[in-house]
Amino acid sequence: MSANIEGSRPALTPALTGAELARWYWTLAELSALAREMGLSAGGGKVAVTARLAAALDGMPPAPAPSPAPTARRGGRQLAAPVDGATVIPPGQRSSQVLREFFVREIGPAFHFDAFMREYVAQGTGRTLAEAVAHWHATRAQAAQPQEVAAQFEFNRFLRDWHARHPDGARTEALAAWRAHRARPRD
């Protein structure tokens, strides 16, 4: 298929080229549907599915299928109330409601499970909840800094950037801008 000269988003079909596929924004659901239609693995993240499709559309041999996702760790029992600062985080502990209630009680209503706390709990086997509270306080300055939004979260990245440019903009305006953005080619 030749390049889309008009600049309007083409239909997502096996007639596209890999380059044309890469020019446009597609959701993972759209890409996965095309992969299944073409008999390709739809497994993996958006980047992997896009690469697999682009190769197939350009007549290249398919990339190896992704290895199966690791099964969820069932590391043991989750903490149950009551917990206190001396409670030790067990293997496989999740950011649970029991922990949330403890942290809100100790830290206050501003507590929330951000990336720093989710990672601390997940990697905190053997540490105490008092150490987790200290970690919360120690990471607040870093947590207040703008965090990089990973490439696979293009919608979130777009909205953050749009709201930075339009601080008084309404959500409906931001969503309309997103629809216009994703309808344009990337080049």
Side-chain angles (χ1 to χ4, degrees):
M1 174 177 182
S2 62
N4 187 342
I5 297 170
E6 300 85 36
S8 61
R9 186 172 177 230
L12 184 56
T13 69
L16 287 178
T17 64
E20 190 68 6
L21 176 79
R23 286 186 71 207
W24 302 92
Y25 175 87
W26 309 99
T27 65
L28 179 57
E30 291 170 317
L31 295 167
S32 296
L34 179 61
R36 283 189 290 276
E37 177 184 338
M38 293 177 63
L40 301 170
S41 168
K46 187 174 178 179
V47 172
V49 175
T50 301
R52 200 172 306 118
L53 280 170
L57 291 170
D58 288 342
M60 306 296 287
S67 49
T71 57
R73 282 191 305 176
R74 301 274 183 225
R77 288 190 222 210
Q78 299 295 297
L79 290 175
V83 296
D84 60 24
T87 302
V88 174
I89 300 172
Q93 178 64 44
R94 295 184 301 274
S95 301
S96 67
Q97 193 60 37
V98 169
L99 289 184
R100 179 181 311 282
E101 290 168 1
F102 168 77
F103 291 134
V104 167
R105 193 170 57 246
E106 294 296 313
I107 295 167
F111 173 79
H112 58 280
F113 280 111
D114 58 15
F116 298 103
M117 285 303 285
R118 285 190 305 272
E119 181 179 352
Y120 190 89
V121 169
Q123 305 298 320
T125 300
R127 297 178 183 159
T128 66
L129 293 184
E131 291 172 303
V133 169
H135 175 75
W136 164 267
H137 292 298
T139 58
R140 291 310 86 201
Q142 189 178 3
Q145 300 298 315
Q147 304 297 312
E148 179 65 26
V149 178
Q152 72 264 33
F153 302 114
E154 186 175 350
F155 175 70
N156 298 23
R157 182 182 293 192
F158 176 87
L159 287 182
R160 184 185 68 185
D161 294 345
W162 189 91
H163 281 293
R165 290 188 315 273
H166 307 92
D168 297 326
R171 178 171 170 73
T172 55
E173 294 171 311
L175 293 176
W178 166 249
R179 285 189 292 277
H181 168 76
R182 68 175 269 191
R184 290 191 297 269
R186 293 179 183 204
D187 52 13

